Amino acid sequence: MPNSKKRKLIGLKHHKSKNPHKVIKHPSNAPTAATSKSSSKIKSKPPILPFDPATDRILLIGEGDFSFARSLIDHHAVFDLTATCFDSEAVLLEKYAPQASEHISHLVEEGTSLLYDVDATKLDKHKALTKSARFDKILFNFPHIGGKSKDVNRQVRSNQALLVGFFSSAKALLAPGGTVVVTLFEGEPYTLWNVKDLARHSGYDLQRSMKFEAGIYPEYKHARTLGNIDGGGGWKGEDREARTYVFEVREEKNTGWDDMRHPDRGGGGGKGKRKRGESDSESERDG
């Protein structure tokens, strides 16, 4: 059986349960009344996936070494995945050697669609993406323009522009009812980007937000925009607190202005020529 079909079958099994990560306890293992109160205090909510592996068409934007894409395929049985990165294939392989080559080979073998040279602010102009079926989920993990500028204000403005461009161009690729999912680190300077405000001004509403649980994505390792650091460095992004935001496109409310401008469309808002001596109120009452 092809690998893609196996993933779909596994994904459908996950889909039968509302939360594949939730542990179902048998009656014999259920807590007694005496212990239920104490145990409830230490219970932690099961992690939530911001996508449905069995049914969603998923698009990943800004992948680094493709380790996140690999985790979705290997550990979550995602059956319809397209993963993209900003760099060319040659640059990517050089920046993230040797792990990128290993991940790419594995993903290609699994039948995953990989696209290079994809600008997150120009998704609506990318031929391969605009010609494909629309996506239910578009994920952008840890967006960052890169660079070593120490000017915080300049970095904030540049990353805000990146997010605004992403929000704007992603709309053309979203299926009806689809959502965009953005994950950012907690704390400054990331909180200064005001991602919720940027999304709101771009025509989105916040559907929900949740803590990003790196542990539910085995194989995933945070990749820096600048590439690998000799020795690995002491800073690991997957160990840092982060938050995931799920946005949906705001429904445009019909205010009636369009009908008033075009009375021939059935709005009945056209007043026509006003008779001499007729007031606005009279015209509205008669119309």
Side-chain angles (χ1 to χ4, degrees), residues 67-106:
S67 63
F68 188 79
R70 180 168 183 173
S71 181
L72 296 193
I73 292 295
D74 289 358
H75 300 281
H76 294 289
V78 169
F79 80 98
D80 197 334
L81 177 68
T82 299
T84 74
C85 68
F86 177 74
D87 295 314
S88 66
E89 183 175 7
V91 170
L92 183 90
L93 291 172
E94 181 180 356
K95 285 171 62 174
Y96 304 110
Q99 75 270 24
S101 178
E102 298 172 3
H103 295 324
I104 290 171
S105 296
H106 181 74

mmCIF file of all heavy atoms in Angstrom, residues 67-106:
data_model
loop_
_atom_site.group_PDB
_atom_site.id
_atom_site.type_symbol
_atom_site.label_atom_id
_atom_site.label_comp_id
_atom_site.label_asym_id
_atom_site.label_seq_id
_atom_site.Cartn_x
_atom_site.Cartn_y
_atom_site.Cartn_z
ATOM 1 N N SER A 67 11.916 20.043 9.228
ATOM 2 C CA SER A 67 11.720 19.075 10.313
ATOM 3 C C SER A 67 10.278 19.087 10.815
ATOM 4 O O SER A 67 9.750 18.048 11.238
ATOM 5 C CB SER A 67 12.688 19.360 11.469
ATOM 6 O OG SER A 67 12.442 20.625 12.051
ATOM 7 N N PHE A 68 9.611 20.245 10.788
ATOM 8 C CA PHE A 68 8.216 20.298 11.216
ATOM 9 C C PHE A 68 7.340 19.522 10.233
ATOM 10 O O PHE A 68 6.455 18.763 10.641
ATOM 11 C CB PHE A 68 7.747 21.750 11.320
ATOM 12 C CG PHE A 68 6.382 21.898 11.941
ATOM 13 C CD1 PHE A 68 6.212 21.819 13.308
ATOM 14 C CD2 PHE A 68 5.269 22.113 11.149
ATOM 15 C CE1 PHE A 68 4.950 21.943 13.890
ATOM 16 C CE2 PHE A 68 4.000 22.244 11.715
ATOM 17 C CZ PHE A 68 3.844 22.164 13.094
ATOM 18 N N ALA A 69 7.597 19.702 8.943
ATOM 19 C CA ALA A 69 6.836 18.961 7.926
ATOM 20 C C ALA A 69 7.008 17.461 8.126
ATOM 21 O O ALA A 69 6.048 16.691 8.022
ATOM 22 C CB ALA A 69 7.300 19.374 6.530
ATOM 23 N N ARG A 70 8.218 17.052 8.417
ATOM 24 C CA ARG A 70 8.464 15.627 8.617
ATOM 25 C C ARG A 70 7.697 15.102 9.826
ATOM 26 O O ARG A 70 7.165 13.983 9.799
ATOM 27 C CB ARG A 70 9.963 15.359 8.786
ATOM 28 C CG ARG A 70 10.262 13.881 8.987
ATOM 29 C CD ARG A 70 11.736 13.577 8.874
ATOM 30 N NE ARG A 70 11.979 12.139 8.991
ATOM 31 C CZ ARG A 70 13.167 11.563 8.800
ATOM 32 N NH1 ARG A 70 14.215 12.300 8.478
ATOM 33 N NH2 ARG A 70 13.314 10.260 8.931
ATOM 34 N N SER A 71 7.628 15.893 10.873
ATOM 35 C CA SER A 71 6.893 15.469 12.064
ATOM 36 C C SER A 71 5.407 15.288 11.763
ATOM 37 O O SER A 71 4.777 14.347 12.245
ATOM 38 C CB SER A 71 7.074 16.492 13.189
ATOM 39 O OG SER A 71 6.388 16.087 14.346
ATOM 40 N N LEU A 72 4.843 16.184 10.951
ATOM 41 C CA LEU A 72 3.430 16.063 10.596
ATOM 42 C C LEU A 72 3.160 14.783 9.812
ATOM 43 O O LEU A 72 2.133 14.126 9.999
ATOM 44 C CB LEU A 72 2.972 17.267 9.767
ATOM 45 C CG LEU A 72 3.006 18.645 10.435
ATOM 46 C CD1 LEU A 72 2.226 19.652 9.592
ATOM 47 C CD2 LEU A 72 2.460 18.608 11.845
ATOM 48 N N ILE A 73 4.095 14.422 8.955
ATOM 49 C CA ILE A 73 3.928 13.214 8.141
ATOM 50 C C ILE A 73 4.138 11.957 8.983
ATOM 51 O O ILE A 73 3.323 11.030 8.965
ATOM 52 C CB ILE A 73 4.921 13.221 6.962
ATOM 53 C CG1 ILE A 73 4.569 14.329 5.964
ATOM 54 C CG2 ILE A 73 4.945 11.868 6.267
ATOM 55 C CD1 ILE A 73 3.226 14.142 5.267
ATOM 56 N N ASP A 74 5.215 11.923 9.742
ATOM 57 C CA ASP A 74 5.590 10.703 10.466
ATOM 58 C C ASP A 74 4.763 10.451 11.719
ATOM 59 O O ASP A 74 4.486 9.301 12.062
ATOM 60 C CB ASP A 74 7.075 10.758 10.852
ATOM 61 C CG ASP A 74 7.988 10.598 9.652
ATOM 62 O OD1 ASP A 74 7.474 10.400 8.534
ATOM 63 O OD2 ASP A 74 9.219 10.683 9.826
ATOM 64 N N HIS A 75 4.381 11.522 12.413
ATOM 65 C CA HIS A 75 3.769 11.338 13.726
ATOM 66 C C HIS A 75 2.303 11.752 13.813
ATOM 67 O O HIS A 75 1.643 11.447 14.808
ATOM 68 C CB HIS A 75 4.575 12.089 14.784
ATOM 69 C CG HIS A 75 5.996 11.631 14.878
ATOM 70 N ND1 HIS A 75 6.370 10.490 15.539
ATOM 71 C CD2 HIS A 75 7.141 12.145 14.346
ATOM 72 C CE1 HIS A 75 7.679 10.314 15.443
ATOM 73 N NE2 HIS A 75 8.168 11.309 14.720
ATOM 74 N N HIS A 76 1.806 12.435 12.800
ATOM 75 C CA HIS A 76 0.402 12.852 12.833
ATOM 76 C C HIS A 76 -0.377 12.365 11.613
ATOM 77 O O HIS A 76 -1.533 12.710 11.453
ATOM 78 C CB HIS A 76 0.294 14.369 12.974
ATOM 79 C CG HIS A 76 0.808 14.877 14.285
ATOM 80 N ND1 HIS A 76 0.146 14.654 15.473
ATOM 81 C CD2 HIS A 76 1.942 15.561 14.607
ATOM 82 C CE1 HIS A 76 0.838 15.196 16.476
ATOM 83 N NE2 HIS A 76 1.933 15.744 15.974
ATOM 84 N N ALA A 77 0.278 11.597 10.754
ATOM 85 C CA ALA A 77 -0.393 10.978 9.611
ATOM 86 C C ALA A 77 -1.151 11.979 8.756
ATOM 87 O O ALA A 77 -2.231 11.690 8.242
ATOM 88 C CB ALA A 77 -1.338 9.881 10.088
ATOM 89 N N VAL A 78 -0.586 13.186 8.592
ATOM 90 C CA VAL A 78 -1.209 14.181 7.714
ATOM 91 C C VAL A 78 -1.168 13.652 6.287
ATOM 92 O O VAL A 78 -0.112 13.273 5.788
ATOM 93 C CB VAL A 78 -0.467 15.526 7.816
ATOM 94 C CG1 VAL A 78 -0.930 16.474 6.723
ATOM 95 C CG2 VAL A 78 -0.689 16.149 9.185
ATOM 96 N N PHE A 79 -2.307 13.613 5.628
ATOM 97 C CA PHE A 79 -2.358 12.979 4.313
ATOM 98 C C PHE A 79 -2.283 13.974 3.154
ATOM 99 O O PHE A 79 -2.084 13.570 2.014
ATOM 100 C CB PHE A 79 -3.630 12.133 4.179
ATOM 101 C CG PHE A 79 -4.866 12.912 3.848
ATOM 102 C CD1 PHE A 79 -5.322 12.989 2.538
ATOM 103 C CD2 PHE A 79 -5.579 13.564 4.839
ATOM 104 C CE1 PHE A 79 -6.461 13.712 2.232
ATOM 105 C CE2 PHE A 79 -6.719 14.280 4.533
ATOM 106 C CZ PHE A 79 -7.169 14.357 3.231
ATOM 107 N N ASP A 80 -2.463 15.262 3.427
ATOM 108 C CA ASP A 80 -2.433 16.250 2.336
ATOM 109 C C ASP A 80 -1.635 17.461 2.796
ATOM 110 O O ASP A 80 -2.164 18.369 3.439
ATOM 111 C CB ASP A 80 -3.857 16.663 1.956
ATOM 112 C CG ASP A 80 -3.915 17.349 0.592
ATOM 113 O OD1 ASP A 80 -2.892 17.928 0.185
ATOM 114 O OD2 ASP A 80 -4.972 17.299 -0.058
ATOM 115 N N LEU A 81 -0.352 17.456 2.487
ATOM 116 C CA LEU A 81 0.557 18.482 2.990
ATOM 117 C C LEU A 81 1.406 19.060 1.867
ATOM 118 O O LEU A 81 1.971 18.335 1.054
ATOM 119 C CB LEU A 81 1.480 17.889 4.065
ATOM 120 C CG LEU A 81 2.552 18.821 4.645
ATOM 121 C CD1 LEU A 81 1.903 19.926 5.470
ATOM 122 C CD2 LEU A 81 3.543 18.038 5.508
ATOM 123 N N THR A 82 1.497 20.396 1.855
ATOM 124 C CA THR A 82 2.424 21.114 0.985
ATOM 125 C C THR A 82 3.305 21.970 1.881
ATOM 126 O O THR A 82 2.799 22.760 2.680
ATOM 127 C CB THR A 82 1.683 22.012 -0.022
ATOM 128 O OG1 THR A 82 0.857 21.211 -0.865
ATOM 129 C CG2 THR A 82 2.679 22.787 -0.886
ATOM 130 N N ALA A 83 4.612 21.793 1.782
ATOM 131 C CA ALA A 83 5.552 22.528 2.621
ATOM 132 C C ALA A 83 6.404 23.437 1.758
ATOM 133 O O ALA A 83 6.909 23.013 0.712
ATOM 134 C CB ALA A 83 6.436 21.559 3.409
ATOM 135 N N THR A 84 6.573 24.681 2.188
ATOM 136 C CA THR A 84 7.332 25.654 1.398
ATOM 137 C C THR A 84 8.423 26.296 2.247
ATOM 138 O O THR A 84 8.357 26.307 3.476
ATOM 139 C CB THR A 84 6.414 26.770 0.861
ATOM 140 O OG1 THR A 84 6.052 27.654 1.950
ATOM 141 C CG2 THR A 84 5.148 26.198 0.232
ATOM 142 N N CYS A 85 9.413 26.839 1.569
ATOM 143 C CA CYS A 85 10.461 27.599 2.256
ATOM 144 C C CYS A 85 10.829 28.813 1.418
ATOM 145 O O CYS A 85 10.596 28.847 0.211
ATOM 146 C CB CYS A 85 11.684 26.740 2.526
ATOM 147 S SG CYS A 85 12.588 26.267 1.041
ATOM 148 N N PHE A 86 11.413 29.805 2.058
ATOM 149 C CA PHE A 86 11.792 31.054 1.380
ATOM 150 C C PHE A 86 13.044 30.872 0.534
ATOM 151 O O PHE A 86 13.178 31.463 -0.538
ATOM 152 C CB PHE A 86 12.015 32.151 2.421
ATOM 153 C CG PHE A 86 12.469 33.457 1.836
ATOM 154 C CD1 PHE A 86 11.582 34.278 1.152
ATOM 155 C CD2 PHE A 86 13.788 33.877 1.961
ATOM 156 C CE1 PHE A 86 11.995 35.489 0.600
ATOM 157 C CE2 PHE A 86 14.219 35.074 1.419
ATOM 158 C CZ PHE A 86 13.318 35.886 0.744
ATOM 159 N N ASP A 87 13.974 30.049 1.003
ATOM 160 C CA ASP A 87 15.253 29.875 0.311
ATOM 161 C C ASP A 87 15.124 28.988 -0.920
ATOM 162 O O ASP A 87 14.170 28.211 -1.049
ATOM 163 C CB ASP A 87 16.278 29.243 1.256
ATOM 164 C CG ASP A 87 16.623 30.136 2.429
ATOM 165 O OD1 ASP A 87 16.871 31.333 2.211
ATOM 166 O OD2 ASP A 87 16.633 29.633 3.573
ATOM 167 N N SER A 88 16.117 29.087 -1.791
ATOM 168 C CA SER A 88 16.222 28.135 -2.895
ATOM 169 C C SER A 88 16.670 26.807 -2.310
ATOM 170 O O SER A 88 17.153 26.734 -1.171
ATOM 171 C CB SER A 88 17.233 28.623 -3.929
ATOM 172 O OG SER A 88 18.546 28.632 -3.377
ATOM 173 N N GLU A 89 16.535 25.742 -3.073
ATOM 174 C CA GLU A 89 16.932 24.437 -2.562
ATOM 175 C C GLU A 89 18.426 24.398 -2.244
ATOM 176 O O GLU A 89 18.839 23.850 -1.211
ATOM 177 C CB GLU A 89 16.587 23.342 -3.569
ATOM 178 C CG GLU A 89 16.894 21.949 -3.077
ATOM 179 C CD GLU A 89 16.451 20.867 -4.030
ATOM 180 O OE1 GLU A 89 16.007 21.193 -5.155
ATOM 181 O OE2 GLU A 89 16.535 19.674 -3.671
ATOM 182 N N ALA A 90 19.232 25.003 -3.111
ATOM 183 C CA ALA A 90 20.682 24.993 -2.898
ATOM 184 C C ALA A 90 21.063 25.733 -1.623
ATOM 185 O O ALA A 90 21.884 25.255 -0.826
ATOM 186 C CB ALA A 90 21.387 25.614 -4.103
ATOM 187 N N VAL A 91 20.474 26.901 -1.418
ATOM 188 C CA VAL A 91 20.774 27.694 -0.221
ATOM 189 C C VAL A 91 20.307 26.962 1.030
ATOM 190 O O VAL A 91 20.998 26.918 2.046
ATOM 191 C CB VAL A 91 20.108 29.085 -0.314
ATOM 192 C CG1 VAL A 91 20.213 29.822 1.025
ATOM 193 C CG2 VAL A 91 20.749 29.905 -1.419
ATOM 194 N N LEU A 92 19.122 26.377 0.960
ATOM 195 C CA LEU A 92 18.571 25.653 2.105
ATOM 196 C C LEU A 92 19.482 24.501 2.520
ATOM 197 O O LEU A 92 19.770 24.313 3.706
ATOM 198 C CB LEU A 92 17.188 25.114 1.756
ATOM 199 C CG LEU A 92 16.474 24.402 2.901
ATOM 200 C CD1 LEU A 92 15.633 25.381 3.703
ATOM 201 C CD2 LEU A 92 15.604 23.272 2.386
ATOM 202 N N LEU A 93 19.935 23.717 1.539
ATOM 203 C CA LEU A 93 20.789 22.564 1.841
ATOM 204 C C LEU A 93 22.109 22.995 2.466
ATOM 205 O O LEU A 93 22.682 22.277 3.288
ATOM 206 C CB LEU A 93 21.042 21.761 0.561
ATOM 207 C CG LEU A 93 19.825 21.025 -0.004
ATOM 208 C CD1 LEU A 93 20.148 20.420 -1.365
ATOM 209 C CD2 LEU A 93 19.353 19.940 0.959
ATOM 210 N N GLU A 94 22.580 24.172 2.074
ATOM 211 C CA GLU A 94 23.830 24.682 2.636
ATOM 212 C C GLU A 94 23.625 25.215 4.047
ATOM 213 O O GLU A 94 24.442 24.967 4.942
ATOM 214 C CB GLU A 94 24.379 25.800 1.743
ATOM 215 C CG GLU A 94 25.700 26.369 2.238
ATOM 216 C CD GLU A 94 26.228 27.471 1.335
ATOM 217 O OE1 GLU A 94 25.610 27.750 0.285
ATOM 218 O OE2 GLU A 94 27.267 28.071 1.693
ATOM 219 N N LYS A 95 22.528 25.931 4.277
ATOM 220 C CA LYS A 95 22.268 26.534 5.582
ATOM 221 C C LYS A 95 21.980 25.492 6.658
ATOM 222 O O LYS A 95 22.359 25.670 7.817
ATOM 223 C CB LYS A 95 21.081 27.508 5.488
ATOM 224 C CG LYS A 95 21.403 28.818 4.804
ATOM 225 C CD LYS A 95 20.137 29.640 4.557
ATOM 226 C CE LYS A 95 19.438 30.026 5.823
ATOM 227 N NZ LYS A 95 18.289 30.953 5.565
ATOM 228 N N TYR A 96 21.276 24.436 6.259
ATOM 229 C CA TYR A 96 20.821 23.462 7.252
ATOM 230 C C TYR A 96 21.377 22.071 6.966
ATOM 231 O O TYR A 96 20.664 21.073 7.004
ATOM 232 C CB TYR A 96 19.294 23.422 7.286
ATOM 233 C CG TYR A 96 18.658 24.765 7.561
ATOM 234 C CD1 TYR A 96 17.953 25.438 6.561
ATOM 235 C CD2 TYR A 96 18.785 25.375 8.802
ATOM 236 C CE1 TYR A 96 17.368 26.671 6.804
ATOM 237 C CE2 TYR A 96 18.211 26.609 9.055
ATOM 238 C CZ TYR A 96 17.501 27.256 8.051
ATOM 239 O OH TYR A 96 16.935 28.486 8.291
ATOM 240 N N ALA A 97 22.681 22.028 6.689
ATOM 241 C CA ALA A 97 23.338 20.736 6.471
ATOM 242 C C ALA A 97 23.724 20.135 7.826
ATOM 243 O O ALA A 97 24.148 20.861 8.736
ATOM 244 C CB ALA A 97 24.570 20.932 5.600
ATOM 245 N N PRO A 98 23.575 18.824 7.978
ATOM 246 C CA PRO A 98 23.109 17.839 6.990
ATOM 247 C C PRO A 98 21.628 17.483 7.099
ATOM 248 O O PRO A 98 21.099 16.748 6.301
ATOM 249 C CB PRO A 98 23.953 16.614 7.339
ATOM 250 C CG PRO A 98 24.055 16.681 8.841
ATOM 251 C CD PRO A 98 24.111 18.145 9.197
ATOM 252 N N GLN A 99 20.941 18.009 8.136
ATOM 253 C CA GLN A 99 19.601 17.493 8.447
ATOM 254 C C GLN A 99 18.576 17.803 7.362
ATOM 255 O O GLN A 99 17.644 17.010 7.117
ATOM 256 C CB GLN A 99 19.107 18.021 9.802
ATOM 257 C CG GLN A 99 18.646 19.471 9.826
ATOM 258 C CD GLN A 99 19.747 20.443 10.149
ATOM 259 O OE1 GLN A 99 20.911 20.149 9.946
ATOM 260 N NE2 GLN A 99 19.373 21.609 10.663
ATOM 261 N N ALA A 100 18.721 18.955 6.670
ATOM 262 C CA ALA A 100 17.737 19.325 5.645
ATOM 263 C C ALA A 100 17.683 18.291 4.526
ATOM 264 O O ALA A 100 16.605 17.909 4.062
ATOM 265 C CB ALA A 100 18.061 20.697 5.080
ATOM 266 N N SER A 101 18.837 17.827 4.095
ATOM 267 C CA SER A 101 18.890 16.833 3.025
ATOM 268 C C SER A 101 18.169 15.549 3.428
ATOM 269 O O SER A 101 17.435 14.951 2.626
ATOM 270 C CB SER A 101 20.348 16.520 2.674
ATOM 271 O OG SER A 101 20.427 15.539 1.671
ATOM 272 N N GLU A 102 18.358 15.143 4.676
ATOM 273 C CA GLU A 102 17.712 13.927 5.175
ATOM 274 C C GLU A 102 16.194 14.096 5.222
ATOM 275 O O GLU A 102 15.432 13.211 4.808
ATOM 276 C CB GLU A 102 18.250 13.588 6.566
ATOM 277 C CG GLU A 102 19.751 13.297 6.590
ATOM 278 C CD GLU A 102 20.286 13.155 8.006
ATOM 279 O OE1 GLU A 102 19.463 13.240 8.957
ATOM 280 O OE2 GLU A 102 21.499 12.981 8.172
ATOM 281 N N HIS A 103 15.742 15.249 5.729
ATOM 282 C CA HIS A 103 14.305 15.494 5.815
ATOM 283 C C HIS A 103 13.661 15.567 4.425
ATOM 284 O O HIS A 103 12.585 15.004 4.195
ATOM 285 C CB HIS A 103 14.040 16.794 6.574
ATOM 286 C CG HIS A 103 14.455 16.756 8.007
ATOM 287 N ND1 HIS A 103 14.340 15.621 8.786
ATOM 288 C CD2 HIS A 103 14.989 17.716 8.811
ATOM 289 C CE1 HIS A 103 14.790 15.887 10.005
ATOM 290 N NE2 HIS A 103 15.182 17.147 10.044
ATOM 291 N N ILE A 104 14.334 16.250 3.516
ATOM 292 C CA ILE A 104 13.793 16.413 2.163
ATOM 293 C C ILE A 104 13.665 15.060 1.463
ATOM 294 O O ILE A 104 12.633 14.758 0.850
ATOM 295 C CB ILE A 104 14.676 17.376 1.344
ATOM 296 C CG1 ILE A 104 14.522 18.803 1.881
ATOM 297 C CG2 ILE A 104 14.307 17.328 -0.139
ATOM 298 C CD1 ILE A 104 15.518 19.788 1.292
ATOM 299 N N SER A 105 14.696 14.245 1.560
ATOM 300 C CA SER A 105 14.655 12.927 0.923
ATOM 301 C C SER A 105 13.499 12.101 1.478
ATOM 302 O O SER A 105 12.776 11.435 0.727
ATOM 303 C CB SER A 105 15.980 12.190 1.154
ATOM 304 O OG SER A 105 17.050 12.879 0.536
ATOM 305 N N HIS A 106 13.314 12.163 2.785
ATOM 306 C CA HIS A 106 12.241 11.400 3.415
ATOM 307 C C HIS A 106 10.871 11.914 2.960
ATOM 308 O O HIS A 106 9.970 11.121 2.647
ATOM 309 C CB HIS A 106 12.362 11.504 4.931
ATOM 310 C CG HIS A 106 11.313 10.742 5.679
ATOM 311 N ND1 HIS A 106 11.324 9.363 5.788
ATOM 312 C CD2 HIS A 106 10.201 11.159 6.337
ATOM 313 C CE1 HIS A 106 10.282 8.969 6.486
ATOM 314 N NE2 HIS A 106 9.575 10.041 6.833
#
